[in-house]
Amino acid sequence: MNKREEKLTASHWGIGVATVQGDRVLAVKGHPSDPHASEINDNIPGSLHGRARVRRPAVRKSWLTGTPNAVPRGRDVFVEVSWDRALDLVAKELSRVRETHGNQGIFAGSYGWSSAGRFHHAQTQLKRFLNSFGGFLRSEGNYSYNAAMGLMPHIVGPFRLQVAQATRWPVIAKHADLVVMFGGMALRNTQVSDGGVSKHRMPDNLRACADAGVKFVNISPLRSDVATEVEADWLPVTPGTDTALMIGLAHTLLEEGLHDTAFLDRYAVGFDQVCRYLTGEDDGHPKDADWAAALTGVAAPDIRALARRMAAGRTMINVAAGVQRTDFGEQPMWMAVTLAAMLGQIGLPGGGFTVGYGVNANIGNIERPFRWGAMPQGVNPVTEFIPVAMISEMLLNPGGTYSYQGHNRTFPDARLIWWAGGNPFHHHQDLNRLHKAFQTPDTIIVNELNWTATARHADIVLPIAGPQERTDFCGGKSDNALIPMPKLVPPCAEAREEYDIYSALAARLGIAYAFTEGKNSDDWLRDIWEVTRSRAQDAGYDLPDWETFLQGDLISLADPSPDQVFLDEYRADPKAHALPTPSGRIELYSETIAGFGLPDCLGHAAWFPPRDRNVDGQGAYPLALLSGQPKTRLHSQLDNGAYSLRHKIADREPVLIHPDDAKARGVHDGDVVELFNTRGRCLAGARVTDEVQKGCVFLWTGAWYDPDFDAPQARDRHGNPNVLTHDLRTSSLTQSPAAHSAMVEVQRFEGTPPAVQAHEPPPFEPEP
Ligand SMILES: Nc1nc2c(c(=O)[nH]1)N[C@H]1C(S)=C(S)[C@@H](COP(=O)(O)OP(=O)(O)OC[C@H]3O[C@@H](n4cnc5c(=O)[nH]c(N)nc54)[C@H](O)[C@@H]3O)O[C@H]1N2
Ligand SMILES: Nc1nc2c(c(=O)[nH]1)N[C@H]1C(S)=C(S)[C@@H](COP(=O)(O)OP(=O)(O)OC[C@H]3O[C@@H](n4cnc5c(=O)[nH]c(N)nc54)[C@H](O)[C@@H]3O)O[C@H]1N2
Ligand SMILES: [Mo]
């Protein structure tokens, strides 16, 4: 009998201490140095050793037998093959597509979070391999805060820098009176940070704010979008109407002379245009608090009172990323910046605006002291790209045109898709449309741990070793610690490290050296550690050698900027620290954007009604569907783990519904319900609660998509909101995903609900 050992493991949600016995991970608990470790760790053993693991390379039967359209992707059976066979098929197909369509025929945008780890990063590995092969068609942006990334450079500066420069929470505790949160600041989302988080600091930092007397206002359809650490006033708002609410607030400031003209004159451009819009000088519609009340469901006196309260003290305005993941999602951010400029506190400690507090564990809490080493991706000779959320659009309209950042562009023709480290059948909107789009390429290759819906839509599925089945190290993109990730157990069945898969392919394609530089995984890990070590030395830290590090505990470094205040230098000297915008100032009106002449994004922040409220003239569905990030997992990852499963209702994802909405539909807590609209339908488990605003339902993302192709609209049995969301982007400025803007109806499911099959492998057949 093997003895039990305790070893470190690390992930996007924190450091775990794993109990390992032989080839099994028995349990993973939080590291003792983490004051608020995430329970997502509890999913790891069940998922790592779950039935859904891809055990051998597998090929879709119709594709293998040369009749690729005989059975649609997503519905076909698979044939397990040897690694040699699978790699030969991949190499041959890559060569064929390159020869016939060029490298731009290979789409490897491959968006997704994959796993933490500096070396075994799925996208980096795939992109390095394809760059060695002459390049690939890429995607630009993300699903998280794409509208912010596309808009902010026009009006303030690069968004990623703003996140890193966010004012720190201890500064807010000391200086702020009020934090106004559009979309709340859900503690559940601060479990996670891209690349890893060593300590969950948010609960204690928020408690320090509460102790210091800082007040919070939660403007959100969900009461629980705010931590219990603080006492917040809840102002429920109709989803998608935050811009109108902010406009109403701005109008009150203007009407009552509470705006800071000195700040606006010195630090911003375009306030005149904003005033004309607020007062209705051009369109005859004054946009006052009464106007806003009619759109938002927030009473006019409450709007006026909030505006006065914001002007009365030091106020931080926060916008959750979810608020820009909506129709015209650029507008609430631009309006938040406008509002903050009117208050004149940008650059002061505890005042101004932030887009993104609460979006991850580290924003406003910690930053990395220097850049960690990473596997170099090489250079992509193909310059063609698509905005990330246009995947279905591209596949269904090769040669079609679209507008993006003021340019007219044409969709390329992607013949081969390769996905590694992401789950588009989790992350993309309107999954019935994506299912159609995924029928169009010649070949789809997916590297996966599990038989996700994306793997089931592939022609060739390559089984890969999981994060506990390979050696690596972790350093979060915005964290201050380095964590060893020793291999805990051998890879499941025939699963392989992705690096070894690409090395074997590179050898077949005659590009072995270009990809490997003659190194194996262990050589690369040492190289990347040495790069990290030498950068550490430049920053004044002495890191141990690789062996010592790998056998030791985490290494915590100092916080490089604990007193940071966003835009304080700009405030101190707006000439010397001019912003990287055309005017060098905050652009409340952008000549550049106005010059694009877009119908869905003007030269200043403006109100546009959400599109799904009136579908095809048939009348809107009555309930707004919100589908935020799940507390019990990371997106779709580890959905088949114990913690995630414990929270399901009747085996399905919980949907929160207000008692009045439930009563009107005869729905009781614990019932299986069906959510539907023109695009699709799914089953879910009803949780009746007044935590959610009346008129809204909240269905967490990440339940593995489980379509029943024999049911109407290929009904999903498990509760995946993306069968209901629309695939329209925020606007033609940034073409960002707008998942939070969908309308649905809900009914009780009568009869025996079909069993959920999402966590089972697909059917296999021997080779014909
Ligand atoms: N309706 C709705 N949809 C949304 C959102 C929403 O708010 N509402 N939010 C959006 C947001 S913000 C995001 S970021 C996306 C997230 O979308 P994704 O990042 O695509 O979601 P994940 O579930 O993290 O998918 C990662 C996949 O990588 C696999 N994986 C893990 N490690 C490895 C590895 O080492 N190698 C390989 N090859 N695979 C690996 C996992 O098994 C998993 O299937 O979803 C978006 N979708
Ligand atoms: N546990 C866990 N944490 C995560 C993730 C995860 O999968 N699991 N994913 C991580 C990722 S990739 C990201 S990008 C972040 C996402 O972080 P966010 O984008 O902030 O998270 P969401 O949950 O999409 O949205 C936050 C809240 O916005 C509210 N909301 C939605 N629409 C509107 C609206 O129109 N108006 C207002 N006022 N409120 C609205 C919803 O009530 C929702 O709870 O979370 C990260 N953290
Ligand atoms: Mo995200």
Side-chain angles (χ1 to χ4, degrees):
M1 185 87 173
N2 289 306
K3 72 173 195 318
R4 288 183 181 205
E5 289 179 286
E6 294 213 324
K7 289 184 179 170
L8 287 195
T9 184
S11 60
H12 298 298
W13 51 89
I15 313 176
V17 181
T19 308
V20 182
Q21 187 169 37
D23 60 3
R24 307 288 289 185
V25 175
L26 300 179
V28 181
K29 58 181 193 301
H31 192 278
S33 68
D34 186 346
H36 303 277
S38 168
E39 286 184 74
I40 297 175
N41 278 328
D42 203 20
N43 285 326
I44 292 175
S47 191
L48 185 70
H49 304 303
R51 285 176 48 78
R53 281 299 293 270
V54 184
R55 303 176 62 81
R56 299 188 69 210
V59 184
R60 186 170 71 87
K61 185 179 160 195
S62 308
W63 190 91
L64 187 67
T65 52
T67 51
N69 302 324
V71 180
R73 291 192 176 101
R75 306 180 66 166
D76 211 346
V77 301
F78 283 84
V79 176
E80 292 186 319
V81 300
S82 69
W83 268 110
D84 272 341
R85 180 89 190 280
L87 294 173
D88 287 344
L89 288 171
V90 172
K92 196 170 146 211
E93 188 57 8
L94 278 175
S95 302
R96 184 193 70 80
V97 171
R98 183 172 68 173
E99 208 150 290
T100 341
H101 306 279
N103 282 81
Q104 65 274 14
I106 303 171
F107 177 75
S110 191
Y111 178 77
W113 269 57
S114 64
S115 297
R118 300 303 301 166
F119 173 63
H120 295 287
H121 182 247
Q123 270 194 41
T124 303
Q125 298 257 353
L126 174 62
K127 290 176 180 177
R128 180 181 168 85
F129 167 70
L130 288 174
N131 284 339
S132 317
F133 187 64
F136 62 92
L137 176 62
R138 66 187 175 90
S139 62
E140 183 172 279
N142 64 29
Y143 278 72
S144 309
Y145 38 68
N146 205 62
M149 287 201 299
L151 172 75
M152 285 300 183
H154 295 289
I155 66 169
V156 186
F159 180 66
R160 281 186 199 276
L161 288 182
Q162 294 174 31
V163 171
Q165 292 166 357
T167 300
R168 289 297 165 80
W169 280 103
V171 176
I172 296 176
K174 197 164 161 199
H175 297 278
D177 299 302
L178 183 66
V179 180
V180 177
M181 311 175 291
F182 293 91
M185 226 158 49
L187 211 51
R188 59 178 182 276
N189 289 348
T190 66
Q191 291 178 91
V192 163
S193 193
D194 190 0
V197 45
S198 52
K199 253 194 187 76
H200 293 84
R201 297 169 168 88
M202 195 69 174
D204 294 343
N205 281 342
L206 285 180
R207 185 170 301 284
C209 286
D211 290 348
V214 183
K215 303 292 181 210
F216 289 76
V217 178
N218 175 29
I219 299 170
S220 171
L222 196 62
R223 189 173 55 214
S224 50
D225 271 344
V226 63
T228 48
E229 274 71 7
V230 302
E231 256 179 60
D233 298 331
W234 183 29
L235 225 54
V237 61
T238 301
T241 65
D242 299 75
T243 308
L245 178 56
M246 294 181 201
I247 290 171
L249 291 167
H251 189 281
T252 303
L253 294 180
L254 183 68
E255 190 174 45
E256 303 189 1
L258 298 172
H259 59 301
D260 185 338
T261 44
F263 182 91
L264 290 162
D265 287 347
R266 188 156 187 227
Y267 298 100
V269 295
F271 186 60
D272 288 350
Q273 282 95 331
V274 172
C275 280
R276 284 222 300 279
Y277 180 70
L278 293 176
T279 56
E281 209 174 301
D282 295 339
D283 64 4
H285 295 293
K287 289 155 202 78
D288 60 7
D290 297 288
W291 170 88
L295 294 166
T296 61
V298 181
D302 291 344
I303 299 176
R304 292 201 169 88
L306 179 61
R308 291 174 197 136
R309 201 175 160 197
M310 290 168 78
R314 185 65 55 83
T315 299
M316 175 60 81
I317 298 170
N318 182 55
V319 187
V323 175
Q324 52 90 74
R325 213 175 301 119
T326 58
D327 287 355
F328 316 105
E330 296 82 9
Q331 305 308 316
M333 289 176 302
W334 203 346
M335 201 55 220
V337 173
T338 305
L339 204 48
M342 289 176 75
L343 291 173
Q345 301 177 6
I346 294 171
L348 291 179
F353 72 92
T354 306
V355 175
Y357 284 137
V359 170
N360 77 36
N362 291 336
I363 299 174
N365 291 310
I366 197 81
E367 256 304 320
R368 64 181 174 191
F370 56 89
R371 271 176 52 237
W372 325 123
M375 172 86 156
Q377 280 189 20
V379 177
N380 186 357
V382 176
T383 52
E384 193 59 81
F385 71 90
I386 59 161
V388 68
M390 298 194 95
I391 176 74
S392 292
E393 204 68 25
M394 168 185 76
L395 293 173
L396 293 169
N397 303 296
T401 56
Y402 65 99
S403 168
Y404 177 61
Q405 291 289 356
H407 298 284
N408 287 321
R409 299 179 52 88
T410 305
F411 286 119
D413 187 12
R415 299 317 313 155
L416 183 149
I417 295 184
W418 196 335
W419 225 290
N423 188 357
F425 281 87
H426 155 72
H427 67 232
H428 195 57
Q429 282 59 69
D430 196 349
L431 293 183
N432 279 322
R433 186 169 193 242
L434 185 67
H435 170 74
K436 281 198 199 87
F438 261 52
Q439 307 305 327
T440 62
D442 299 342
T443 301
I444 299 178
I445 306 169
V446 169
N447 302 6
E448 252 298 345
L449 298 158
N450 290 311
W451 280 104
T452 60
T454 302
R456 287 162 198 258
H457 278 80
D459 301 309
I460 305 176
V461 182
L462 302 175
I464 61 129
Q468 289 77 29
E469 299 170 342
R470 59 200 189 199
T471 298
D472 209 333
F473 74 98
C474 171
K477 281 202 183 137
S478 55
D479 205 43
N480 66 331
L482 292 160
I483 305 118
M485 297 171 71
K487 176 172 171 172
L488 307 181
V489 291
C492 163
E494 291 183 27
R496 286 190 183 172
E497 288 186 10
E498 274 162 312
Y499 184 75
D500 295 339
I501 298 173
Y502 298 126
S503 301
L505 279 172
R508 279 171 170 74
L509 295 166
I511 52 169
Y513 192 81
F515 177 68
T516 66
E517 296 176 29
K519 297 172 200 164
N520 64 22
S521 298
D522 191 51
D523 299 328
W524 275 109
L525 277 163
R526 283 164 198 278
D527 271 16
I528 297 169
W529 180 251
E530 282 313 315
V531 170
T532 308
R533 224 176 150 196
S534 98
R535 288 186 191 153
Q537 202 149 38
D538 295 344
Y541 295 100
D542 199 13
L543 296 183
D545 63 34
W546 174 243
E547 265 79 22
T548 314
F549 169 63
L550 198 57
Q551 284 154 26
D553 204 352
L554 81 153
I555 298 176
S556 279
L557 308 169
D559 183 346
S561 43
D563 306 318
Q564 160 172 298
V565 173
F566 180 49
L567 294 187
D568 56 346
E569 291 181 327
Y570 174 60
R571 188 174 186 109
D573 189 343
K575 289 235 157 55
H577 297 282
L579 300 179
T581 58
S583 61
R585 299 205 219 160
I586 298 168
E587 303 219 342
L588 307 184
Y589 181 86
S590 162
E591 298 280 356
T592 310
I593 296 177
F596 295 159
L598 306 175
D600 47 9
C601 187
L602 312 178
H604 56 82
W607 162 248
F608 294 89
R611 294 167 291 201
D612 212 21
R613 296 213 169 246
N614 212 330
V615 189
D616 301 327
Q618 296 170 22
Y621 287 85
L623 299 168
L625 171 75
L626 296 168
S627 50
Q629 317 295 24
K631 173 178 150 192
T632 59
R633 56 187 175 256
L634 174 67
H635 316 134
S636 70
Q637 296 194 41
L638 313 186
D639 182 40
N640 59 343
Y643 182 51
S644 177
L645 293 176
R646 272 206 296 282
H647 286 78
K648 306 259 175 187
I649 295 176
D651 299 333
R652 281 147 247 263
E653 199 56 28
V655 57
L656 312 186
I657 180 166
H658 189 276
D660 293 352
D661 293 325
K663 194 166 168 217
R665 291 164 178 80
V667 168
H668 298 98
D669 194 67
D671 281 352
V672 173
V673 290
E674 184 166 16
L675 287 76
F676 60 96
N677 62 19
T678 46
R679 293 176 290 266
R681 54 184 65 225
C682 70
L683 303 183
R687 167 72 60 235
V688 180
T689 168
D690 64 4
E691 201 183 308
V692 67
Q693 180 185 341
K694 197 173 159 184
C696 299
V697 288
F698 200 116
L699 177 60
W700 308 109
T701 56
W704 291 1
Y705 175 48
D706 188 23
D708 177 356
F709 289 104
D710 297 326
Q713 293 174 295
R715 178 175 59 214
D716 162 57
R717 291 168 282 223
H718 191 194
N720 187 314
N722 279 327
V723 299
L724 301 160
T725 52
H726 69 58
D727 190 16
L728 305 169
R729 268 73 49 202
T730 54
S731 81
S732 54
L733 179 71
T734 72
Q735 297 285 3
S736 308
H740 280 311
S741 296
M743 300 297 291
V744 299
E745 179 54 291
V746 174
Q747 66 191 15
R748 205 166 163 266
F749 185 84
E750 306 294 344
T752 312
V756 174
Q757 292 168 28
H759 298 152
E760 294 295 312
F764 295 106
E765 273 183 17
E767 182 151 9

